[in-house]
Amino acid sequence: MSPAPLGNRDLMRAHNRSIILNAIKSHGDISRAEIARLTGLSPATVSAITAELIAENLVLEHAEGDSSGGRPPILLRLNPSGGFVVGIKVTEQHLIGALTDLTAAVITKQVFDLPNHTLEDVLEGIINIVTRLTHIGGVRKKQLLGVG
């Protein structure tokens, strides 16, 4: 039996970012210490990654929490306008697209007819719906984090 592969540092960091983002999304206003406690990540790892997320405008320092004897913790939350996502549903007759912010609030929604079912027509429709949704929502290309 071969030994388990060693972890790739970049992959581990990306995984830890995902864990931290999910903790912030799931728990709303949350301190770094609480993220460390919930996730099992070290406080240093949480601090370093949340600093990156704040610099990238994906997370905001929102408010001071209640102190339990020391300095009050700074609570973090997702920045709703820190990025946007387009979701597309493909049906036989239509493409249905929605532009959402990071909290999954729908910014705008569009339905496009899909008269032809060729791959080229579907791909062209997807490009058109993404372009239209981002234009209507006032979202720049670099703000669009994903399409699914």
Side-chain angles (χ1 to χ4, degrees):
M1 180 184 228
S2 62
L6 296 176
N8 175 310
R9 188 163 69 182
D10 292 336
L11 180 61
M12 288 177 60
R13 189 156 188 87
H15 179 70
N16 289 343
R17 277 176 59 104
S18 178
I19 289 170
I20 290 170
L21 279 169
N22 283 329
I24 295 169
K25 182 174 182 351
S26 298
H27 293 88
D29 293 351
I30 187 170
S31 70
R32 289 169 180 85
E34 185 68 8
I35 294 170
R37 190 185 68 71
L38 287 171
T39 63
L41 296 171
S42 74
T45 296
V46 171
S47 290
I49 292 174
T50 56
E52 288 174 10
L53 294 171
I54 291 167
E56 293 168 18
N57 206 29
L58 295 174
V59 170
L60 299 171
E61 290 184 326
H62 175 63
E64 281 189 359
D66 294 330
S67 173
S68 59
R71 188 172 50 183
I74 302 296
L75 302 179
L76 305 174
R77 70 164 39 165
L78 287 181
N79 179 5
S81 61
F84 300 87
V85 177
V86 171
I88 301 172
K89 179 178 182 178
V90 180
T91 70
E92 277 191 47
Q93 303 300 321
H94 306 291
L95 292 174
I96 304 163
L99 174 70
T100 68
D101 66 16
L102 287 184
T103 64
V106 176
I107 307 299
T108 187
K109 186 175 162 182
Q110 295 283 309
V111 178
F112 290 90
D113 289 335
L114 192 59
N116 300 312
H117 301 97
T118 67
L119 178 61
E120 291 79 17
D121 289 335
V122 173
L123 290 175
E124 184 177 326
I126 290 171
I127 291 167
N128 288 337
I129 200 168
V130 170
T131 301
R132 189 157 183 197
L133 287 167
T134 54
H135 176 73
I136 292 168
V139 173
R140 297 182 316 271
K141 278 186 183 180
K142 69 180 184 177
Q143 292 177 291
L144 187 62
L145 302 178
V147 176

